[in-house]
Amino acid sequence: MTEWTGTISMKRIRKLGYLFKEGVRNMFTHGFMSFAAICVTVACLVIIGSFSSILYNLSRMVKTLERENQITAFIDDSYDEQTAKTVETAIRRLDNIREANFVSRKEAGRRFIEQQGGGEAYQGIDEKTFSDRVVITLEDNSKMAETVALVEQIHGVDHVNAREELAEGFTTLQRVLNIASAAIILILLIVSLFMISNTIKLAMYDRRDEIGIMKMVGATNRFIRFPYMVEGFLIGVIAAALAFFIDWGIYNLIAKQIQNVDALKLFDIVPFSKLLLPMIATFGAAGLFVGIFGSVMSIRKFLDV
Amino acid sequence: MIEFKNVTMVYDQGNRALENVSLKIDDGEFVFLVGPSGSGKSTIIRLLTAELEPTSGSISVNGYQLDRIKSRQIPYLRRTVGVIFQDFRLIENKTVFDNVAFSMRVVGASNKQIKKRVPYVLDLVGLENRGRRYPTELSGGEQQRVAIARALVNNPSMIIADEPTGNLDPVRSYEIMMLLERINALGTTVVVVTHERELVNRFTKRVIAIDEGNVINDGMDGYYINEEN
């Protein structure tokens, strides 16, 4: 046998360099199959991305609505304004409180009249008709009952007004949305992986003779697999980048359309710039995962020679 | 060196391909393995390259015990055995040079080593000016020479040729056999599997005849010569 010079590590570096180049070359020499794999991956990622952004916006809207479901703690009428304000501080110290704002009886009266359209009929109402109060927004509405109980125990709180059934409704809606999002995204991911894996399998089938030759001349499984992983990686990255820009375009187009229709202005669409980082991270990870995992899974059966 | 001791091979479907076969091929020998289609020749090749595991018996090839070889050792066994096929099995989108160099890449040879060794081997098989061509631009005989060069390039101790002349005309077939004989003269063990009676008869070599999974003749005079006489 020929005595090769050089150390094992040099050999490894050389091999890696060669295998990386082979992976890049393979992508171009099997251009049509690479193109097909990229198209399938882009299609799957665009669908997943669109669903995710729709679900994210829906979830955000529900959260906004949920936040509007405030609870009000009415303060004992015997308290003067100065003493009543200490209740606000005590409420703020509790867990699960996002915001707690003191509203004096005078301010409450003014707001009431304003809500009624400022009609003259209400102008004479005595401010004593109203109580000092603290308007509270919770961090987590699913714990509303527990928080209300704690607020009621605070000295100076006369009674608490809370719409617990509404909070429960929002909590259920939020939970359903979360489960539905997770299920839809999971199903789409599985379908994508299946489609991408089949496309790559087709590409591998096209190259089964080549793999057989590699095995026959003494290539290890790792040596054979590496260029396909590089190829899968590149396909994943290209597909993820393309899908990202396509989704960006679609998202902005739809957001613009919604803003142009008066009836839909109620929907507060999150600007894409806010989704940029999570989208890049998700697309990158999904692209790499399906690219590399798809290649490795597909090549397995062809390595058994 | 190849040694089969009481090797039996039964496929999953129950087809008995080899029945208690024992044979030994020493280093540096040139052996024809002959027999009709379905006699068990291809099974022997697949056993020699560890594509199959024998049902019973032991097989030793170049120091590797194939009946208990580990999967991770198989690539290293295959590097000591150059295999040539009837259908050449070249990678069509690689040039002749790259097809031959490919075997060296597998063992981690440097570009410098490849640039020195590949032209030498191409010259040895008579393809010194064909390095930049693609396999489809070559004749059948030339493609088989590329396959021989690829099998030779890592300097294996043994070449196994499975019907190497099956797709060639008689003149090219003879040339390929002469080339294999030359390679054998340089010290490489050569095992040629064939069913071409006339070609075997033109060479005075050891012939192992297989039929229905059994060795029915093994000698220098050759099975076909005996049959004719």
Side-chain angles (χ1 to χ4, degrees):
Chain A
M1 295 292 285
T2 307
E3 288 290 325
W4 301 122
T5 53
T7 62
I8 300 262
S9 57
M10 272 309 290
K11 266 190 180 182
R12 274 206 181 142
I13 293 166
R14 263 202 306 267
K15 260 191 191 178
L16 278 180
Y18 168 75
L19 292 175
F20 193 84
K21 265 193 265 173
E22 277 294 287
V24 177
R25 205 182 64 94
N26 275 350
M27 204 179 79
F28 292 101
T29 41
H30 303 94
F32 179 73
M33 287 319 289
S34 305
F35 176 73
I38 288 173
C39 287
V40 171
T41 316
V42 167
C44 293
L45 289 178
V46 165
I47 294 170
I48 292 174
S50 306
F51 258 100
S52 306
S53 39
I54 290 170
L55 290 168
Y56 177 79
N57 272 291
L58 274 177
S59 171
R60 201 170 155 274
M61 281 174 207
V62 171
K63 266 188 190 147
T64 312
L65 285 173
E66 204 178 3
R67 251 176 242 148
E68 311 221 327
N69 184 25
Q70 297 166 325
I71 59 179
T72 312
F74 293 94
I75 297 165
D76 197 324
D77 285 339
S78 62
Y79 279 45
D80 61 27
E81 193 172 320
Q82 210 56 36
T83 326
K85 275 187 178 172
T86 59
V87 176
E88 179 198 11
T89 319
I91 289 172
R92 279 196 179 159
R93 285 200 197 109
L94 296 175
D95 283 341
N96 196 29
I97 304 293
R98 178 191 289 273
E99 260 178 68
N101 295 316
F102 177 79
V103 179
S104 66
R105 59 181 69 191
K106 195 174 172 186
E107 175 63 15
R110 193 190 61 75
R111 282 186 194 174
F112 175 78
I113 293 167
E114 201 177 278
Q115 272 170 14
Q116 305 312 315
E120 273 188 25
Y122 300 100
Q123 293 301 329
I125 294 178
D126 184 359
E127 67 179 40
K128 282 185 182 161
T129 314
F130 301 94
S131 302
D132 289 330
R133 63 198 65 184
V134 179
V135 178
I136 307 163
T137 314
L138 302 183
E139 288 281 0
D140 181 1
N141 272 343
S142 67
K143 293 176 187 164
M144 185 178 271
E146 295 96 302
T147 314
V148 166
L150 289 173
V151 173
E152 279 170 343
Q153 282 168 23
I154 291 174
H155 200 66
V157 173
D158 184 70
H159 68 279
V160 177
N161 206 351
R163 284 186 289 177
E164 286 177 36
E165 63 299 330
L166 199 62
E168 261 171 44
F170 280 129
T171 308
T172 312
L173 186 60
Q174 185 70 49
R175 208 171 286 155
V176 168
L177 258 180
N178 286 345
I179 294 169
S181 326
I184 290 170
I185 290 169
L186 189 74
I187 290 167
L188 283 173
L189 257 180
I190 292 169
V191 170
S192 308
L193 198 64
F194 178 75
M195 283 173 70
I196 291 159
S197 163
N198 268 336
T199 312
I200 297 175
K201 230 178 243 174
L202 266 178
M204 295 289 177
Y205 187 76
D206 199 34
R207 286 183 243 175
R208 67 199 184 282
D209 291 341
E210 204 173 305
I211 295 170
I213 294 165
M214 289 181 183
K215 296 282 290 182
M216 209 36 78
V217 297
T220 57
N221 284 351
R222 209 182 297 169
F223 184 93
I224 297 168
R225 211 180 274 134
F226 195 83
Y228 290 104
M229 281 173 70
V230 170
E231 202 179 336
F233 165 83
L234 291 174
I235 286 174
V237 167
I238 294 170
L242 284 174
F244 173 77
F245 287 114
I246 291 172
D247 247 358
W248 192 345
I250 293 174
Y251 190 94
N252 282 341
L253 198 74
I254 292 174
K256 217 176 195 177
Q257 293 301 317
I258 288 175
Q259 277 159 9
N260 286 342
V261 179
D262 283 342
L264 298 175
K265 271 186 180 159
L266 274 172
F267 294 108
D268 178 25
I269 305 292
V270 185
F272 195 81
S273 56
K274 281 201 172 171
L275 298 174
L276 216 60
L277 279 178
M279 285 291 248
I280 289 174
T282 315
F283 274 54
L288 290 183
F289 176 73
V290 292
I292 297 177
F293 190 67
S295 307
V296 173
M297 287 292 289
S298 316
I299 199 172
R300 260 172 54 179
K301 72 177 233 188
F302 296 104
L303 287 177
D304 192 23
V305 183
Chain B
M1 192 193 72
I2 297 171
E3 189 165 16
F4 275 49
K5 276 186 193 164
N6 306 318
V7 173
T8 296
M9 181 68 213
V10 183
Y11 286 102
D12 289 343
Q13 306 92 321
N15 177 21
R16 294 183 88 80
L18 292 180
E19 191 70 60
N20 212 25
V21 169
S22 294
L23 58 89
K24 190 177 176 190
I25 298 170
D26 286 320
D27 287 339
E29 273 197 90
F30 188 119
V31 177
F32 282 113
L33 194 63
V34 299
S37 296
S39 57
K41 306 187 304 284
S42 297
T43 301
I44 290 181
I45 291 200
R46 294 180 72 193
L47 286 167
L48 287 174
T49 53
E51 261 189 74
L52 294 175
E53 211 178 302
T55 311
S56 66
S58 71
I59 303 172
S60 168
V61 176
N62 295 338
Y64 289 91
Q65 204 58 42
L66 303 196
D67 43 296
R68 49 174 188 265
I69 194 167
K70 292 193 172 97
S71 311
R72 65 168 189 276
Q73 289 178 307
I74 294 174
Y76 301 97
L77 156 81
R78 288 178 180 166
R79 291 175 195 182
T80 71
V81 182
V83 188
I84 301 158
F85 299 96
Q86 179 178 354
D87 56 358
F88 323 129
R89 299 204 190 165
L90 302 174
I91 301 172
E92 285 184 6
N93 57 32
K94 284 188 195 287
T95 62
V96 166
F97 185 97
D98 287 337
N99 263 284
V100 179
F102 184 70
S103 288
M104 291 183 75
R105 303 272 185 208
V106 165
V107 298
S110 68
N111 282 336
K112 198 177 158 195
Q113 288 162 334
I114 289 167
K115 278 180 190 159
K116 195 176 163 196
R117 176 80 178 157
V118 174
Y120 168 76
V121 179
L122 285 178
D123 188 39
L124 191 73
V125 299
L127 292 174
E128 55 277 16
N129 300 318
R130 296 283 194 269
R132 287 186 179 176
R133 298 280 183 90
Y134 285 88
T136 46
E137 297 169 355
L138 304 178
S139 68
E142 286 174 323
Q143 288 190 50
Q144 194 56 292
R145 283 166 188 271
V146 178
I148 294 172
R150 183 181 64 195
L152 268 181
V153 75
N154 281 337
N155 214 359
S157 54
M158 184 186 299
I159 295 270
I160 298 171
D162 185 8
E163 303 278 3
T165 56
N167 284 347
L168 305 177
D169 62 55
V171 178
R172 303 290 155 242
S173 297
Y174 185 69
E175 282 173 7
I176 291 292
M177 280 307 167
M178 292 292 285
L179 179 59
L180 289 171
E181 197 179 33
R182 252 180 79 202
I183 291 163
N184 174 244
L186 294 171
T188 309
T189 310
V190 175
V191 179
V192 178
V193 175
T194 184
H195 63 267
E196 290 184 60
R197 173 191 302 229
E198 280 173 22
L199 197 66
V200 173
N201 288 348
R202 290 177 77 168
F203 293 84
T204 315
K205 301 288 179 192
R206 180 181 167 193
V207 179
I208 300 172
I210 311 277
D211 198 13
E212 292 182 354
N214 293 294
V215 175
I216 55 165
N217 194 34
D218 184 353
M220 291 300 290
D221 49 352
Y223 167 65
Y224 290 119
I225 295 168
N226 275 346
E227 195 183 53
E228 279 173 7
N229 290 341

